[in-house]
Amino acid sequence: MPSNQCNWENSTLENPSHPLIMAESDSSIDIKVDPANISADAINPVDASDTLKRPTPGENVPNNHPQQEILPGDSATARAEKIERHGLTNKNVNGASSDFPESAPKRAKVEHKDQTSHARDARDMRSGTAPIKAEYLRDTKEEDASKPIIDDDEAEESTNRVTANDDRNGQGKRQKAKGQNKNRTFGSSRDAIQLCASRKRRNEFSPEQCKFGEKCKFEHDLRKYLKEGKREDLNAFEGNCPAFAARGWCNSGWACRLVGSHSEERPAVDGKNEFVLLGNSPLEGEGNDNVALDEGIGVVNIVSMAHKIDLRKRKTQTPKADAFDKWLSTRSGAGGHKVSSDEANGKRDEESKDRIQENRAGFTEPPFRPSEKRKLYYGPDTPILAPLTTQGNLPFRRLCVELGAQVTWSEMAMGMPLLQGERQEWALMKAHETETLPPSISPSASVIKGYDNSKDLKFGAQIAGNKPWLALKTTEILTSLCPHLRAVDLNCGCPIDLVYRQGAGSALLDSPGKLERILRGMNAVSGEVPITVKIRTGTKDNKRTAYSLVERLALGGPEDQEFGTGPPGIAAVTLHGRSRQQRYTRLADWKYISDCAALINRLNKEQDERSDTIAEPDARNLANSNNGKLYFIGNGDCYSHIDYFDHIEHGKVDSVMLARGALIKPWLFEEIATGQYLDKSASERLSYVEKFARYGLEAWGSDEIGVGNTRRFLLEWLSFAHRYVPIGLLEVLPPKINERPPAYRGRDELETLMASENYKDWIKISEMFLGPAHKDFRFDPKHKSNSYEIEAEG
C-alpha cells in the first residue's frame, strides 16, 4: 500500500465506536472523527432532487462520482485536514481504502476535458503543487510518485528537532524515510598510499631530503606512489588541470588528479628517465615547503598561520574592544542602574525618570567615537546573496557573482572559534577576487552624498556572538586581519538550537538592550568598515518584536535618547519575514516587512526635517555610512524577477536578499538584471555544475581530498538545485518557491536526470566532472526522503 494512504481496516461508517485514528511517523497529530456526527440525510450537491443517505449494512450503492486518488505530494497534515473536514469514506473503485472526497468548491470541472486534463487541474488547484504541463507529467500508477512535502528549505544547519523514524508501517510494508539525517557523515577521500610532503611538489630526483628521515611514515618513492598510491587521472576539463591553467602551476603537485597535464618524463643526466613537474612553482631553492601554497587561486582575506597561533596563545591585543566594553558595562542603565524591560520598551514611571535625572551627572562619554565609515549603497540594482551555512561557500558565491550577484556574504562564523584561531572558522572569511570588485549600479541610481563606487566591494562577513565583549573583540580582529570587507553583519536570525541556547543568533531578539550595546560597540571598533544586522520577525509566531526593534536600532534605546548618545550607528537592517519558531516553513510575511520598511522611511524622513534645527542629533552618533539613515532590506521567498521588483515597489525595501531562490537557480540574479524569465536548458545548467567543480578544485585543491571536498559541496548544492522546474514546463507563471512538482519528465534525458530527488543521481552528475567517487566517500542527504529506494513488496 502506498505510504501516503491510511489503513481503514475494520473501520466503517456503521461502526461509530471505531473512530478514525491517523498517525504518521513524522507527525504528532492525532485526529479523531466520530462518524456519528456525519449527517444521515443531506442535500446532494450534484443533484438537489436527491438526498444523501447513509446506506444500510449490505446495501449496494452505485458510485456515480468516484473519488480520485490522493494527489502526489499530499503531506500528512493535508491528509489529516481532509479527514477532519469530510470524515471517513467508503473504498474507492480501485479498492483502496483511504480516499477522501474533494470539497465542492475545489472539485475540478470536467466538462469537455479528458481525464489527463482533470488530473492536471486538480494538481494546479492543490496548494503547493507546481503546475506542470500535462505532456510532461509521468504516469504515477506504476511508481511511487507520492512525495510528501518535506522541509528541505533550511540553508542553515539542521538541529535535533527530528522525530524518530519508523521505516515500517502497520502492515509490515516498507515506508519512505522521513525527517532529517541528524548524524551526517561524508567518509573520507585519501590516497591509498600518501606521498611525503617533501616529494609532493618536487621532481623525482630532487636532492631535497625529508627532515624526518627514516622515521617518516609517508611514501618517498614517487613511481610507487603513482602506480599504487593514487587513482587514475580524471577524464574531465579536457584533461587540463584547472589550477595549472589558472596560474601556471598546481599546488597539489604529484597528488593532483590531473597531474598528467602538468608533468612529463624526461631523460636525466645519467641516462635514466625522470618525472618532472611543469610550470613556474614558487618553490625556488631548498627548504621552502612552508610557502603558503594551499590557499586557493585568486583568494583574498588570507590570515597567516602566525596570526592564528597568536590568537590561540591569546597574544593578539584588542585595545579598542577592551576599552569600549568596559564603558558599556559601566553604563548599563543610568549611573550603573540596570534598565528594566519596561524601561527598555519606553514604559517609564516617574520614579525611573527621576532616577535618570539624578544620575545624569554620573554619565560618562564613550572612550572614543566611531571612525568615519565607508559609504554604502543598496538599491534595486544590488540584489544580495544571503549568508548560507554550508551552501554559501566560495565556489558558489563566485558562480553567483558571475551571474550577477552584487553583494555577497560569508557563511556565518562563530565569534569564539575566530578568537581561538581555528582554521576552519577563519576559512569562512576567504573571498574570491571577483568579490572585491565594486558592485555594478545603474547610472541613474540615487546614491548618497560621498559614496565612491570605486572603493566599494561586494563581500561582507557575518558573525554571531552572545556577549558584547565577544562580538567587539571579534569585530576588531576581523577588520584588522581581513582588508577586503564591505561590512560586518551580526546574525540575529539563526534558529539553530545550539546557537539559540547560547544566547546568540535569534536569541538576541529577546534582549534588545544587549543587542543594541553589541551593535554600538561593533560600530565603534570596526574602523572604516560599516556594521549591519540581520534579524527575524521575532522568536515566536505570536510575539513579533521586529517592529519595535527596528525603531530602537534607528533611534537608539530610551537611555541613549536620554543621554544623547543616539542610535547605535549601524548602516543597514535586513529582516527575514519569518520567526524563529517558524524557521523556514510557510511563506515569509512580506506585509510585516512592508510595515517595518514604512517605519524606517518615516524615521528617515523625520530626520531630514530635523536637519539644521536644534533637534538635529549629533552627527557623530549617526550611521555615517548612509548620512545618518538606515538602509532596509527584505528577505524571504524571492524566486523570480517578478517577486524581486514587487517587493521593491510594494514592500518599499531598498533591496532584497536572496537565499533559497539563488540556491535553486543561481541565474536568478541574471533574471533580475534582464527583467525577464530565462528558460535555461539542461546543458546550460550542467555548465554551471562544471563551473562549480572547476572553481572547487581551484579553491580546495585538485588532489584526492580536494576532489572529495568539491564533490561534497556540489552535492549539497544539487540537493537544492534539483528542485528547479524549467520555465518551459510550467503552465502558470510566475513560479513559486513553495511549489513542489509532481512526478514529471524533462524535455530531454539530462533535464529529467537533473530533476531527480535521489541522491545517487546527484552523484552521477558529479561524476561527469569529478570522476567516480572514492570508495570511502559517503554522502548522506540532508533529508532521508532523498535517499529512499523503492523495494518490492514481498
Side-chain angles (χ1 to χ4, degrees), residues 398-411:
R398 181 180 174 184
L399 177 62
C400 288
V401 167
E402 187 175 316
L403 293 173
Q406 299 304 318
V407 179
T408 62
W409 290 98
S410 73
E411 302 176 51

Side-chain angles (χ1 to χ4, degrees), residues 395-406 408 432 434-435 458 666-667 669-670 687-688 691-692 694-695:
F396 181 76
R397 296 198 312 269
R398 181 180 174 184
L399 177 62
C400 288
V401 167
E402 187 175 316
L403 293 173
Q406 299 304 318
T408 62
H432 190 260
T434 56
E435 297 179 272
K458 296 182 174 71
W667 58 93
F669 298 101
E670 193 177 355
S687 70
Y688 297 147
K691 284 186 177 181
F692 183 97
R694 183 186 298 273
Y695 297 160

Side-chain angles (χ1 to χ4, degrees), residues 359-394:
N359 291 289
R360 184 179 292 274
F363 172 75
T364 58
E365 289 288 334
F368 51 88
R369 295 285 182 174
S371 302
E372 182 71 20
K373 304 297 180 185
R374 185 191 310 114
K375 306 294 183 183
L376 295 181
Y377 168 74
Y378 284 108
D381 43 0
T382 58
I384 307 163
L385 177 64
L388 304 167
T389 300
T390 304
Q391 284 86 359
N393 48 68
L394 188 148

